[in-house]
Amino acid sequence: MKAPPASPAAAARPLKRPRQARARFTVQAIYDAFVRIWQRDGWDKLTTRNVALETGIAVGTLYDYFPNKTALLSGYVRHCLEALLAAIEREAVQPAGLPWEERIHHLVRLVCGVDAPGLPTFHPDMLALEGAMAEPHHHRRAHEELAAAWGRVFAACTDLSHPPGPDLQQALHLSAWGGRRYVLLLQLDPAAMRQWADGVEQLCCAAILQAANPPR
């Protein structure tokens, strides 16, 4: 009995994750070269060989991690998500003594990709290529991880007498993250991005205040 054929997404996964410091440095250099070439030459002209040459490593070393450029893209998307989650933890969860409004400000700015120069670059073409690298459970995992990050931020808002419940937290997360994905497709300029992020922050704060002070 034959096994079912692997899905395109399954065939486009990174082969392994870097564990040692030197391996992490190498993979970060690969991602940096990957983004530079993509932005400069476009997806169609991007090859794993070009990435290896720009990184200054052997092609075989790159293939130890990424069998093809779609696997490289898959690894890079995961890298972007992990960097976002780490930034939320660092800027919106861990600092002591922050008022809840500042925690939400940092959270929304990071999720919306505004005033966050330290985060990796998201590219609108990633959405067009999702079918080649992502399956429903990948989307579910990203959703659950981001929703949990919002929960940790609200748990850190000890000065908020009545934090929003799980349903509202999820609604706020989906509104911000779903908007971010659509904004990528629109390719708004930086000024329009900031205006949009300001609106998201205002909506979040209004919903949080209403949850804390429900009308009688």
Side-chain angles (χ1 to χ4, degrees), residues 73-97:
L73 174 60
S74 176
Y76 178 72
V77 170
R78 184 65 204 172
H79 166 68
C80 289
L81 181 60
E82 290 175 352
L84 172 58
L85 291 168
I88 292 172
E89 193 73 20
R90 183 174 61 250
E91 298 184 29
V93 176
Q94 293 180 354

Side-chain angles (χ1 to χ4, degrees), residues 100-101 160 162 164 168 202-214:
W100 71 266
E101 295 93 340
L160 195 59
H162 294 86
L168 180 54
Q202 291 170 15
L203 289 172
C204 287
C205 289
I208 292 166
L209 286 172
Q210 183 174 2
N213 301 283

Side-chain angles (χ1 to χ4, degrees), residues 40-62:
R40 184 183 68 219
D41 303 329
W43 176 257
D44 290 339
K45 294 183 180 179
L46 189 152
T47 67
T48 50
R49 181 173 294 276
N50 287 342
V51 172
L53 289 173
E54 180 125 352
T55 308
I57 63 172
V59 176
T61 300
L62 188 146

Side-chain angles (χ1 to χ4, degrees), residues 12-14 30-31 34-35 38 43 46 48 51 62 65-81 121-134:
R13 294 174 185 165
I30 290 171
Y31 288 149
F34 169 73
V35 172
W38 191 355
W43 176 257
L46 189 152
T48 50
V51 172
L62 188 146
Y65 296 96
F66 308 106
N68 51 59
K69 70 178 186 179
T70 307
L72 180 48
L73 174 60
S74 176
Y76 178 72
V77 170
R78 184 65 204 172
H79 166 68
C80 289
L81 181 60
T121 302
F122 277 99
H123 194 283
D125 288 349
M126 289 180 183
L127 300 181
L129 295 164
E130 275 185 337
M133 63 175 181

Side-chain angles (χ1 to χ4, degrees), residues 130-170:
E130 275 185 337
M133 63 175 181
E135 297 176 336
H137 71 273
H138 294 125
H139 293 290
R140 172 61 59 179
R141 177 184 176 187
H143 158 68
E144 291 173 351
E145 289 176 334
L146 285 166
W150 280 72
R152 289 193 297 275
V153 173
F154 282 114
C157 295
T158 55
D159 58 333
L160 195 59
S161 57
H162 294 86
D167 290 346
L168 180 54
Q169 290 183 28
Q170 178 164 274

